[in-house]
Amino acid sequence: MSKQRGPVSQFIEKNYLHFNAAALMDAAKGYEAHLEAGGKMLVSLAGAMSTAELGISLAEMIRQDKVAIISCTGANLEEDVMNLVAHNHYKRVPNYRDLTPEQEKELLDNHYNRVTDTCIPEEEAFRKLQSHLERVWKDAEAKGERYFPHEYIYQIVRDGGLEEEYQIDPKNSWILAAAEKNLPIVVPGWEDSTCGNIFTSYVIKNELKASTVKTGIEYMVYLTEWYRANSEGKGVGFFQIGGGIAGDFPICVVPMMYQDLEWEEVPFWSYFCQISDSTTSYGSYSGAVPNEKITWGKLDVDTPKFIVESDATIVAPLIFAWLLGQ
């Protein structure tokens, strides 16, 4: 029996019949079939999806157990929290294509960092978050404890210190939803994020030890343990938003286990979808077609594979709307 669909889903099913639109519909139905068969799903977030406010739909996906684990860049980890506490101070620049270098410098001088058409306010966002992270970093080090980057973020959103700072409806923050579920997260390359840079500055000033934040290698070990515990039955699917390290890092856990550890019976990822506008050229991983991943031992011949060559800020919320029956 087909489930009741809301107006967005009905619109997609009626109109999205060909080309990238049909690929979107096929990927959404494949994701749904994977979950209905008992599978779990990893979602990877590249780009600036948190600043694009994907949390409006992703948070509800997390609450409804349609996401089992997230891999994201350090930027996406921190920028959801920044939007949560500094949303009213963000500045939108619709005519960003017309800005001169001098106007870009003026934004910097006014402590705005631009991401396409959206400027993140340095003082209200970065520095506000810094003060809370400094506290949990130093508390952990004083106790001889070490945590992953996402675990420190969980600490500051769970202890209530940020609540009076909220400037959006908290139900639209995917980090809050993830913290509530204690959702596993891996954050490869965290060091190149703003918070990673801030932490590095404390290390250089001898105020913190580098070891107080767990590393990417430890994240790979953490992911290995999670995958082994969750890949039975229908297995784990891979829903990749964008490209880059957020996708490349976690997908490699499968070939690492059976090629490098020589563990037998490691199941391939059991569903794959990528939303990307990257083109296939010069060895680009982000633009590689899914079948290339077969040669690297990530996907199998009969793994359901989808690629939607479009803007993830448009496509991902539509696929999530379908999965949520909206």
Side-chain angles (χ1 to χ4, degrees):
M1 187 176 70
S2 62
K3 65 194 290 187
Q4 186 67 32
R5 300 284 179 187
V8 177
S9 296
Q10 291 176 31
F11 177 88
I12 296 169
E13 193 164 36
K14 180 179 179 180
N15 292 277
Y16 283 32
L17 304 176
H18 302 281
F19 317 136
N20 266 313
L24 182 160
M25 187 75 269
D26 292 343
K29 289 180 176 178
Y31 192 140
E32 187 170 59
H34 179 76
L35 295 182
E36 289 175 348
K40 297 181 179 179
M41 192 67 75
L42 177 147
V43 171
S44 75
L45 305 177
M49 296 307 297
S50 290
T51 292
E53 298 191 68
L54 186 65
I56 293 169
S57 56
L58 179 57
E60 188 61 22
M61 288 282 289
I62 293 168
R63 283 191 289 271
Q64 292 194 24
D65 296 317
K66 298 182 187 299
V67 179
I69 183 170
I70 285 177
S71 171
C72 69
T73 58
N76 277 305
L77 181 75
E78 66 197 15
E79 287 176 14
D80 182 82
V81 185
M82 291 176 186
N83 181 60
L84 176 66
V85 300
H87 180 83
N88 297 344
H89 300 279
Y90 278 56
K91 179 184 179 72
R92 187 153 180 266
V93 187
N95 64 326
Y96 67 93
R97 289 182 176 88
D98 302 325
L99 295 178
T100 65
E102 291 75 22
Q103 289 171 317
E104 302 275 23
K105 180 62 163 56
E106 185 179 351
L107 287 172
L108 173 65
D109 291 343
N110 287 312
H111 305 287
Y112 281 107
N113 299 131
R114 184 172 68 79
V115 181
T116 313
D117 69 348
T118 303
C119 296
I120 302 174
E122 180 183 339
E123 292 302 321
E124 291 83 2
F126 297 121
R127 300 309 165 202
K128 187 182 291 184
L129 194 54
Q130 176 178 352
S131 63
H132 290 276
L133 282 172
E134 179 182 2
R135 170 174 51 82
V136 293
W137 287 336
K138 290 186 174 179
D139 284 351
E141 186 162 308
K143 297 173 185 175
E145 297 171 349
R146 306 174 62 239
Y147 297 99
F148 285 118
H150 78 277
E151 291 177 316
Y152 285 114
I153 292 288
Y154 279 179
Q155 288 175 29
I156 66 172
V157 300
R158 284 172 176 159
D159 66 17
L162 287 175
E163 283 187 14
E164 61 184 26
E165 308 275 6
Y166 291 174
Q167 296 183 5
I168 63 168
D169 188 331
K171 75 176 178 22
N172 292 333
S173 165
W174 73 262
I175 286 291
L176 288 182
E180 183 71 24
K181 290 271 187 185
N182 200 30
L183 194 78
I185 301 179
V186 294
V187 190
W190 174 78
E191 297 81 2
D192 83 346
S193 67
T194 298
C195 290
N197 290 174
I198 291 169
F199 180 77
T200 301
S201 74
Y202 287 113
V203 173
I204 292 170
K205 292 184 291 184
N206 293 315
E207 294 181 23
L208 286 168
K209 297 175 184 174
S211 58
T212 296
V213 175
K214 290 185 177 181
T215 67
I217 296 299
E218 289 168 289
Y219 259 136
M220 186 61 85
V221 174
Y222 170 83
L223 179 59
T224 302
E225 294 167 349
W226 184 90
Y227 193 90
R228 293 190 84 194
N230 289 274
S231 57
E232 293 182 357
K234 183 60 177 172
V236 184
F238 201 101
F239 188 80
Q240 181 173 344
I241 301 176
I245 194 172
D248 199 14
F249 179 94
I251 207 168
C252 289
V253 74
V254 169
M256 184 275 292
M257 282 189 279
Y258 78 77
Q259 292 177 4
D260 303 317
L261 284 164
E262 299 182 346
W263 290 347
E264 297 181 357
E265 307 302 323
V266 177
F268 292 105
W269 296 96
S270 52
Y271 162 101
F272 179 81
C273 174
Q274 181 178 11
I275 307 167
S276 174
D277 57 5
S278 294
T279 56
T280 303
S281 65
Y282 304 107
S284 161
Y285 180 72
S286 299
V289 297
N291 280 352
E292 184 177 294
K293 294 169 177 55
I294 295 172
T295 74
W296 290 89
K298 299 166 183 176
L299 305 179
D300 206 351
V301 171
D302 58 357
T303 304
K305 306 173 191 69
F306 308 91
I307 184 161
V308 187
E309 295 180 290
S310 188
D311 185 333
T313 63
I314 298 169
V315 172
L318 289 173
I319 291 179
F320 292 167
W322 175 268
L323 293 163
L324 295 167
Q326 295 172 345

